[in-house]
């Protein structure tokens, strides 16, 4: 694997964070399948106790 085909770390001006360049053979744009999968995943993965867990509030000490 040559150094030109690897991801590189780029500094973000004005930020403490860095970002990676896109991996070889990928694009930064999401595909339609990714967008549809992300929208339908929470409803498909819900179980019988999900509503109760969302409503439960931990005690405040």
């Amino acid at each position: 694997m040559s150094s030109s085909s690897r991801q590189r770390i780029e500094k973000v001006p004005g930020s403490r964070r860095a970002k990676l360049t896109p991996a070889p053979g990928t694009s930064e744009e999401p595909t339609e399948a990714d967008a549809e999968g992300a929208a339908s995943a929470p409803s498909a993965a819900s179980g019988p106790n999900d509503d109760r867990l969302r409503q439960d509030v931990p005690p405040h000490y």
Side-chain angles (χ1 to χ4, degrees):
M1 182 183 282
S2 67
S3 62
S4 63
S5 66
R6 296 186 60 171
Q7 287 181 300
R8 294 184 317 272
I9 299 172
E10 296 180 347
K11 291 185 177 181
V12 178
S15 177
R16 292 176 50 180
R17 296 195 177 255
K19 67 175 186 173
L20 289 173
T21 57
T26 63
S27 69
E28 294 182 28
E29 298 295 321
T31 61
E32 290 181 24
D34 293 338
E36 291 173 4
S40 64
S43 62
S46 64
N49 294 327
D50 286 350
D51 290 331
R52 181 178 176 193
L53 289 172
R54 288 187 189 103
Q55 293 172 359
D56 283 347
V57 179
H60 298 280
Y61 295 100

